[in-house]
């Protein structure tokens, strides 16, 4: 089935911006995706017709705001294939992982172990290191294969009967590799460990069926999934959320407060202390609805055709090396590469001159850079609104950098 | 257009790699990382009894701007103490438009970086490293 990329692009006003006489070729979606009109309109509608705090007021605006906020929770739940009351709105994906590290971490004992991998973003490393400092847990790591996948062959050695949680990236923000979740869940279950996925790079590529994945926690960021900044999601199995103590204290998360003691609201309120990011949550709900309406089978084929075009084009330029799976199987549209003799930042700066936005550097994955002894990579990350012109502009820029900076 | 940034002089400074390498017996060796972009500079110095640099060498794992700046700094660092190096930093800051006045050579080469604020730390990283080495 053909994919009408022009129709998708029309929904993103920023893609018609001209900077210094050039169109934008936005290939930095892995850092932050652009926002469609459906999301902009949803936030604007809230701000102009329904702005008020949620859950507390009895006036009409408060009723409207609460309804829109809870509808957003339902949209996110539908997107993930779970129940609305299992959805916690957070400040972002990092905040969601920190929530689990703090609250689920409170249930762990010294000597308990958490298994990570060398492929993780810092946001799925540092919160666990902080937990280790607080409570004496131990961290283990899975190695990464030469083609940038988590080496699941090491699972039997790295999982122990002390492993309580396996927390891994669903899709790598550097290599695009998709995790074999089934294999991880099966191995984790065998030792009684829970499984958490960092879905920041997977969520922007279509609806999920979390119960079918068999995992226990899932986190993703709104701004990478066509939503506003300052919003993220944590999904957790209800029995786990129910057992977890609060992360932040304040309004909305309580049952009853006295100076002697306080009691906690049930999830998700227990984990949404204070006034939540209401507008961003409503925007994220609209983004999930927008994603839900897209034909992702066609969109994924389109994305992977862009990956192939990019990889083929890069390999025709002397001195380029790709970091990540060579195959299109079990991967998502993130392509990292190096241009020998030119630092990634200089490649990215050159590309900016061609109107091409990419990310360069360590991608908040320094252990992975150490694994491959790299200063960094240049990364192009695609979504359905990208087209062949974007890829061709990038390739022209890389050729220019190869000619002028070596 | 990025060619306005990567002008011939900056590229030439980077490629010159003036005093690139290691010292056999440095008085001090300091490593500085830019946590945002991952640029890394290691500077070795030997000092005389008055704290003046007698020898300097550097290893850079960083972008072209960081390489060029380190190379430029190494080319004029010998014979200077901490105050003298601070003077050179003022030149770099002037080139970047962070301080008023005209930058002296060789740092005038970095004037094109004025319009690229996110890249200015790349230029200043070796100054931070050398300041550490002299402190």
């Amino acid at each position: 089935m053909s994919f009408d990329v022009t129709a998708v692009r029309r929904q993103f006003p920023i893609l018609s911006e001209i900077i210094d006489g050039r169109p934008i070729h936005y290939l930095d979606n892995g850092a932050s995706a652009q926002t469609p009109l459906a999301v902009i309109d949803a936030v604007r509608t809230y701000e102009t017709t329904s702005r008020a705090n949620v859950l507390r007021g009895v006036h009409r605006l408060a009723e409207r705001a609460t309804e829109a906020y809870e509808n957003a929770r339902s949209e996110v739940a539908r997107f993930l294939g779970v129940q609305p009351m299992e959805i916690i709105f957070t400040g972002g994906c990092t905040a969601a992982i920190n929530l689990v590290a703090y609250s689920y971490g409170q249930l762990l004992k010294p000597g308990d172990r958490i298994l990570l991998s060398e492929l993780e973003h810092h946001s799925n490393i540092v919160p666990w290191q902080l937990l280790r400092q607080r409570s004496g847990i131990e961290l283990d790591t899975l190695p990464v294969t030469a083609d940038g996948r988590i080496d699941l062959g090491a699972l039997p050695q790295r999982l122990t009967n002390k492993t309580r949680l396996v927390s891994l990236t669903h899709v790598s923000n550097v290599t695009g590799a998709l995790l074999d979740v089934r294999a991880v869940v099966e191995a984790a279950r065998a030792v009684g460990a829970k499984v958490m996925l960092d879905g920041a790079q997977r969520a922007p590529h279509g609806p999920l069926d979390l119960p079918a994945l068999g995992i226990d926690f899932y986190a993703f960021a709104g701004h990478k999934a066509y939503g506003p900044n300052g919003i993220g999601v944590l999904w957790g199995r209800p029995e786990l959320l129910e057992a977890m103590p609060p992360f932040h204290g304040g309004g909305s998360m309580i049952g009853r407060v006295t100076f002697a003691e306080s009691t906690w609201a049930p999830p998700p309120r227990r984990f949404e202390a204070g006034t939540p990011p209401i507008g961003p949550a409503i925007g994220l709900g609209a983004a999930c609805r927008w994603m839900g309406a897209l034909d992702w089978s066609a969109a994924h084929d389109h994305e992977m055709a862009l990956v192939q075009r990019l990889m083929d084009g890069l390999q025709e330029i002397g001195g380029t090396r790709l970091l990540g799976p060579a195959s299109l199987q079990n991967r998502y549209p993130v392509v990292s590469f190096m241009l020998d003799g030119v630092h990634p930042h200089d490649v990215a700066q050159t590309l900016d001159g061609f109107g091409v936005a990419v990310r360069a550097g360590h991608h908040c994955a320094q252990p992975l850079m150490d694994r491959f002894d790299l200063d960094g990579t240049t990364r192009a990350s695609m979504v359905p609104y990208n087209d062949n012109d974007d890829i061709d502009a990038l390739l022209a820029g890389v050729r220019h950098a190869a000619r002028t900076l070596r | 257009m990025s060619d306005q940034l990567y002008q011939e002089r900056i590229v030439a400074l980077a490629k010159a790699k003036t005093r690139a390498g290691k010292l056999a017996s440095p008085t001090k060796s300091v490593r500085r990382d830019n946590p945002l972009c991952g640029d890394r500079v290691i500077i070795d110095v030997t000092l005389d009894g008055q704290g003046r640099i007698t020898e300097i060498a550097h290893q850079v794992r960083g972008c072209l701007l960081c390489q060029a700046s380190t190379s430029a700094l190494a080319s004029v660092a010998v014979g200077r103490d901490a105050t003298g190096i601070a003077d050179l930093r003022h030149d770099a800051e002037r080139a970047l438009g962070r301080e008023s006045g005209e930058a002296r050579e060789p740092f005038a080469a970095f004037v094109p970086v004025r319009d690229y604020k996110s890249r200015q730390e790349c230029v200043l990283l070796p100054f931070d490293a050398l300041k550490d080495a002299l402190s």
Side-chain angles (χ1 to χ4, degrees):
Chain A
M1 183 177 170
S2 69
F3 181 72
D4 188 353
V5 65
T6 307
V8 175
R9 290 178 68 84
R10 270 200 298 271
Q11 299 175 56
F12 290 80
I14 202 168
L15 297 180
S16 27
E17 270 295 295
I18 301 291
I19 298 179
D20 293 340
R22 293 172 183 274
I24 293 173
H25 298 288
Y26 191 78
L27 294 167
D28 194 18
N29 298 287
S32 190
Q34 299 299 343
T35 311
L37 276 170
V39 171
I40 297 166
D41 289 346
V43 175
R44 182 180 165 80
T45 298
Y46 162 70
E47 296 291 352
T48 55
T49 70
S50 315
R51 184 180 164 92
N53 213 325
V54 290
L55 302 172
R56 303 173 187 122
V58 295
H59 54 79
R60 299 291 179 85
L61 289 181
E63 294 280 8
R64 283 183 180 180
T66 301
E67 185 179 357
Y69 182 67
E70 293 305 328
N71 284 345
R73 197 189 303 278
S74 298
E75 290 287 358
V76 173
R78 193 170 301 122
F79 178 74
L80 298 177
V82 299
Q83 295 303 309
M85 288 300 109
E86 299 162 10
I87 297 296
I88 298 161
F89 284 123
T90 66
C93 189
T94 297
I97 296 172
N98 274 276
L99 192 165
V100 176
Y102 185 88
S103 297
Y104 182 73
Q106 295 261 73
L107 306 177
L108 302 182
K109 297 186 289 295
D112 285 346
R113 308 185 81 87
I114 292 176
L115 180 59
L116 310 173
S117 86
E118 287 181 334
L119 199 59
E120 302 312 310
H121 189 284
H122 296 166
S123 62
N124 194 29
I125 298 173
V126 180
W128 308 112
Q129 291 175 326
L130 294 173
L131 174 63
R132 179 171 63 186
Q133 286 172 10
R134 282 197 303 272
S135 54
I137 57 115
E138 302 288 341
L139 300 180
D140 298 303
T141 52
L142 288 165
V144 168
T145 61
D147 67 345
R149 295 186 185 277
I150 297 173
D151 184 358
L152 298 184
L155 272 172
Q157 296 86 48
R158 307 297 162 95
L159 280 169
T160 75
N161 60 8
K162 294 289 249 177
T163 306
R164 297 289 173 258
L165 180 71
V166 181
S167 187
L168 301 173
T169 183
H170 194 180
V171 168
S172 165
N173 72 316
V174 179
T175 69
L178 171 69
L179 183 69
D180 181 350
V181 179
R182 186 187 301 265
V184 172
V185 168
E186 198 175 301
R189 289 285 177 266
V191 297
K194 308 298 182 197
V195 176
M196 173 165 178
L197 297 184
D198 167 1
Q201 298 296 328
R202 169 58 187 83
H205 301 285
L208 287 142
D209 183 353
L210 297 188
L213 288 179
I215 58 169
D216 301 286
F217 296 106
Y218 199 85
F220 75 95
H223 68 100
K224 296 185 202 294
Y226 320 101
N229 294 312
I231 186 74
V233 167
L234 173 68
W235 170 80
R237 282 188 185 276
E239 65 273 20
L240 290 174
L241 296 178
E242 185 57 51
M244 285 159 51
F247 180 25
H248 294 143
S252 296
M253 51 73 70
I254 52 91
R256 169 94 177 115
V257 175
T258 67
F259 278 108
E261 65 170 0
S262 297
T263 60
W264 317 132
R269 305 263 179 269
R270 184 184 302 167
F271 304 104
E272 293 182 356
T275 297
I278 303 165
I282 291 166
L284 179 55
C288 288
R289 191 164 57 244
W290 180 83
M291 285 192 281
L294 211 61
D295 174 357
W296 280 98
S297 172
H300 186 70
D301 288 349
H302 167 72
E303 290 176 331
M304 298 318 287
L306 296 176
V307 169
Q308 190 67 65
R309 187 183 187 91
L310 176 54
M311 294 201 304
D312 289 347
L314 286 171
Q315 282 165 337
E316 287 172 10
I317 301 171
T320 57
R321 288 177 291 142
L322 293 164
L323 175 63
S327 146
L328 298 189
Q329 298 302 308
N330 297 321
R331 71 168 292 166
Y332 275 76
V334 176
V335 177
S336 272
F337 65 95
M338 291 74 71
L339 177 61
D340 287 343
V342 185
H343 191 276
H345 278 131
D346 299 321
V347 175
Q349 192 81 61
T350 301
L351 290 174
D352 179 62
F354 284 73
V356 179
V358 295
R359 176 57 63 93
H362 53 62
H363 311 296
C364 297
Q366 287 180 333
L368 185 68
M369 297 299 117
D370 292 344
R371 155 71 174 85
F372 289 101
D373 192 27
L374 292 170
D375 299 335
T377 73
T378 305
R379 179 190 75 182
S381 44
M382 282 71 78
V383 292
Y385 54 64
N386 288 120
D387 61 13
N388 287 343
D389 287 348
D390 296 334
I391 303 302
D392 295 345
L394 182 149
L395 293 170
V398 174
R399 282 192 289 270
H400 185 79
R403 269 198 313 273
T404 58
L405 298 182
R406 289 202 285 203
Chain B
M1 189 70 185
S2 59
D3 290 353
Q4 291 165 353
L5 175 62
Y6 297 116
Q7 290 184 3
E8 209 172 300
R9 285 206 57 209
I10 291 181
V11 176
L13 280 168
K15 288 186 175 172
K17 297 184 188 299
T18 305
R19 297 182 183 274
K22 299 178 187 177
L23 296 182
S25 306
T27 313
K28 213 152 179 196
S29 180
V30 167
R31 169 177 155 175
R32 265 281 188 150
D33 293 83
N34 181 337
L36 294 178
C37 66
D39 282 355
R40 176 186 304 169
V41 173
I42 300 171
I43 290 186
D44 295 350
V45 287
T46 55
L47 305 174
D48 67 13
Q50 280 73 50
R52 287 187 299 254
I53 298 168
T54 53
E55 281 186 284
I56 184 167
H58 59 84
Q59 301 159 72
V60 179
R61 285 188 72 159
C63 67
L64 194 126
L65 297 179
C66 187
Q67 292 173 40
S69 170
T70 310
S71 185
L73 179 57
S75 72
V76 292
V78 171
R80 295 177 188 270
D81 60 10
T83 307
I85 297 299
D87 281 345
L88 295 180
R89 183 178 178 118
H90 288 303
D91 278 331
E93 300 263 9
R94 285 185 201 108
L96 298 175
R98 294 177 167 206
E99 292 181 13
S100 58
E102 201 166 324
R104 291 170 299 178
E105 294 298 341
F107 301 104
F110 294 95
V111 168
V113 190
R114 271 183 194 194
D115 296 333
Y116 299 85
K117 293 208 180 330
S118 63
R119 304 298 303 279
Q120 293 182 356
E121 292 306 318
C122 308
V123 174
L124 296 174
L125 189 65
F127 288 90
D128 295 336
L130 189 50
K131 184 181 176 188
D132 286 353
L134 298 174
S135 63

